[in-house]
Amino acid sequence: MAFADRYGPCAIIAGASTGLGAAFAEEAAARGLDLVLIARRGELMRSTADAIRSRHPVEIHCLEVDLARPDIVRVVGEAVSDLDVGLLVYNAAAEPQGRFLTTSTDDLLANIAVNVTTPTLLVREIGVRLAARGRGGVVLVSSTGALQGTKIFVPYGASKAYELILGEGLWDEFREHDVDAFAYVVGATATPTYLHNASKLDLTPELLESLARDSGQATNAPRSCEEVAANLFAVLDREGKGIGPRHYSHPDDEARALSDAIRPRAEVVSAMGRMTSALWR
Ligand SMILES: NC(=O)c1ccc[n+]([C@@H]2O[C@H](COP(=O)([O-])OP(=O)(O)OC[C@H]3O[C@@H](n4cnc5c(N)ncnc54)[C@H](OP(=O)(O)O)[C@@H]3O)[C@@H](O)[C@H]2O)c1
């Protein structure tokens, strides 16, 4: 089956005004899929859509909405009611940073809404349609931050772990309908958000090296959005064959996950915490 027959004619990319979401949209458009982009910053999203349209002859709808809205599933459902959606990539994330005890209630609730509630309900909404078609895909974008609890990023890591396990469980259920669902575990990626955060830190190569030595964690240079997006679509290009419950954006991240899995948890969690507290003072 051709890619567009399996995952087209239309893909939803939730969280697609910029960065990784825009790169996922580009990969989907390059394979001939029409797009529904979702983000809050409408102007930025429309300029991303224009740039993609200039390179690929596809239809792009822009849905300017906050994925934290409690009625988000109705809003998205209405927006795509006339479209034959074959792929959902849930990429958006809320990322509260700082000590848990001083994180605001609003930030904690937004983290749960964007990273837990909305992906759960949206995947069910779109999953019902995909199961009825008997083909399609759902990708939950998770993080290497999901692989251990992490000081300073406590609610973020916990919510990305939820998406990781959600994607794995759905892999097993959705394959009964010939629908590919899985979690995509992303490591450090040079998205605008990552670069903005990094610009507030003095991330010299010397500092990164000393942190890696002290914490026992590799501090790899971030990958480009294009590379991380291309690696996801290389998985989808397999069109169902050899797609597993979780895929990593880079083999180095998978290797680290495997080696951490057999280390004492206290060692893994403390090492990551030493790194994040050194960076986010
Ligand atoms: N960058 C990294 O190093 C890294 C590492 C590991 C995992 N990840 C994962 O990769 C994904 C993308 O990361 P990123 O750094 O590109 O994230 P981001 O810049 O914070 O957001 C990605 C996209 O989601 C949209 N978005 C965020 N919150 C939204 C909301 N409430 N409603 C609607 N749209 C929303 C943003 O657009 P608007 O702001 O216009 O709404 C943007 O287009 C996330 O799932 C993240 O957890 C990233």
Side-chain angles (χ1 to χ4, degrees):
M1 193 185 289
F3 188 97
D5 292 331
R6 187 165 185 83
Y7 300 119
C10 183
I12 300 176
I13 315 289
S17 56
T18 180
L20 205 39
F24 291 143
E26 178 83 32
E27 290 286 340
R31 287 161 177 77
L33 268 51
D34 294 332
L35 298 170
V36 176
L37 308 183
I38 305 177
R40 294 162 300 184
R41 286 172 289 174
E43 208 171 309
L44 183 60
M45 175 168 50
R46 284 186 287 277
S47 78
T48 294
D50 287 343
I52 294 173
R53 271 190 214 101
S54 73
R55 291 184 285 270
H56 309 288
V58 297
E59 291 248 329
I60 307 182
H61 308 264
C62 291
L63 182 57
E64 185 179 331
V65 67
D66 188 340
L67 285 158
R69 268 173 70 152
D71 61 345
I72 187 67
V73 173
R74 180 189 59 75
V75 173
V76 177
E78 283 175 11
V80 302
S81 61
D82 294 335
L83 302 173
D84 186 7
V85 174
L87 178 67
L88 167 64
V89 179
Y90 195 89
N91 170 69
E95 190 178 340
Q97 298 173 15
R99 299 282 165 178
F100 184 76
L101 293 180
T102 50
T103 307
S104 72
T105 303
D106 283 351
D107 283 352
L108 290 175
L109 289 174
N111 175 71
I112 293 168
V114 178
N115 304 356
V116 176
T117 308
T118 298
T120 307
L121 298 179
L122 201 52
V123 168
R124 189 187 56 186
E125 174 79 12
I126 302 302
V128 166
R129 294 156 163 247
L130 299 180
R133 284 173 20 134
R135 64 192 199 287
V138 170
V139 179
L140 287 147
V141 177
S142 182
S143 167
T144 49
L147 304 175
Q148 68 289 302
T150 304
K151 211 187 246 187
I152 316 288
F153 291 92
V154 172
Y156 172 77
S159 63
K160 298 313 278 186
Y162 176 87
E163 287 180 303
L164 171 58
I165 299 304
L166 182 68
E168 286 197 341
L170 291 174
W171 171 81
D172 213 12
E173 280 203 11
F174 280 20
R175 66 191 173 133
E176 293 166 11
H177 305 284
D178 208 12
V179 172
D180 306 313
F182 61 93
Y184 189 50
V185 181
V186 169
T189 307
T191 63
T193 299
Y194 176 97
L195 294 173
H196 173 75
N197 289 337
S199 72
K200 293 187 281 183
L201 311 167
D202 194 13
L203 284 175
T204 60
E206 295 72 31
L207 173 64
L208 287 174
E209 203 179 305
S210 82
L211 282 172
R213 237 188 350 262
D214 174 53
S215 66
Q217 300 283 335
T219 51
N220 296 325
R223 322 273 172 204
S224 71
C225 293
E226 291 72 23
E227 179 186 353
V228 171
N231 288 344
L232 171 62
F233 277 75
V235 174
L236 292 168
D237 281 339
R238 299 178 197 167
E239 293 167 21
K241 291 174 220 63
I243 292 186
R246 81 167 72 167
H247 292 271
Y248 290 83
S249 62
H250 195 277
D252 287 353
D253 295 323
E254 181 161 19
R256 205 199 92 205
L258 289 174
S259 73
D260 281 355
I262 54 168
R263 292 169 67 201
R265 292 308 295 165
E267 209 179 90
V268 173
V269 173
S270 318
M272 188 60 104
R274 277 198 298 280
M275 186 189 291
T276 53
S277 29
L279 289 173
W280 279 268
R281 276 179 225 283

